[in-house]
Amino acid sequence: MALINPHINFNGNAEEAFNFYKSAFGGAFTSIVRMKDMASDEFPVEENDAEKIMYIALPIGPNTLMGNDVPTYLGQVNENENRSKISISAESKEEANKIFNILSAGGTVEFPLGDSPWGSYFGMFRDKFGIEWMIEYAA
């Protein structure tokens, strides 16, 4: 079966965000590539973009959360966009609580974690980086 691996764009704070996500999920980054590592005649990198993240990957179970910083020449990412959410299926209520509490800190809770009308343990929030998450545990 195919896997879904979300990829998130950031405005220069991808590394900070991914360290935050790692604090909730654990594990280790499988890849961190900075823009300066990709610099060439075909892909010139502005000095203020050199330390930005070109690619970062954090495995979460069988999936991988990936991201990057947007280079200056492409403009800013709309951090208030709400067309999509990252959905996490926890293995227990305890895991759901841990992930929800860590990632929602400093963000905005849109639906408090608790028993949902459809029978699962569910919560929804926008984290401090503007990324929207849904955390669910279904027994």
Side-chain angles (χ1 to χ4, degrees), residues 1-126:
M1 175 179 271
L3 298 175
I4 295 176
N5 298 302
H7 189 107
I8 309 169
N9 292 313
F10 291 89
N11 289 319
N13 59 347
E15 187 168 15
E16 177 187 0
F18 269 72
N19 280 314
F20 178 65
Y21 302 147
K22 187 169 83 169
S23 75
F25 297 107
F29 300 125
T30 56
S31 183
I32 299 177
V33 178
R34 298 194 184 280
M35 291 194 188
K36 67 181 180 183
D37 300 330
M38 302 294 294
S40 67
D41 291 338
E42 297 81 37
F43 185 74
V45 174
E46 295 179 25
E47 187 176 327
N48 62 325
D49 285 338
E51 293 299 322
K52 288 182 180 179
I53 299 296
M54 172 60 83
Y55 177 79
I56 190 166
L58 177 64
I60 302 172
N63 302 297
T64 302
L65 179 63
M66 299 172 287
N68 66 280
D69 289 314
V70 175
T72 303
Y73 74 90
L74 290 177
Q76 294 283 302
V77 173
N78 180 357
E79 293 178 347
N80 293 315
E81 179 223 306
N82 63 358
R83 296 183 314 167
S84 60
K85 297 185 183 329
I86 297 174
S87 179
I88 302 296
S89 297
E91 294 183 349
S92 67
K93 277 189 174 183
E94 294 76 20
E95 183 181 49
N97 285 327
K98 175 188 172 204
I99 294 169
F100 187 94
N101 290 334
I102 291 172
L103 293 183
S104 66
T108 304
V109 173
E110 298 169 342
F111 192 96
L113 191 59
D115 294 328
S116 71
W118 52 91
S120 68
Y121 190 64
F122 175 83
M124 188 168 61
F125 59 91
R126 181 186 296 265

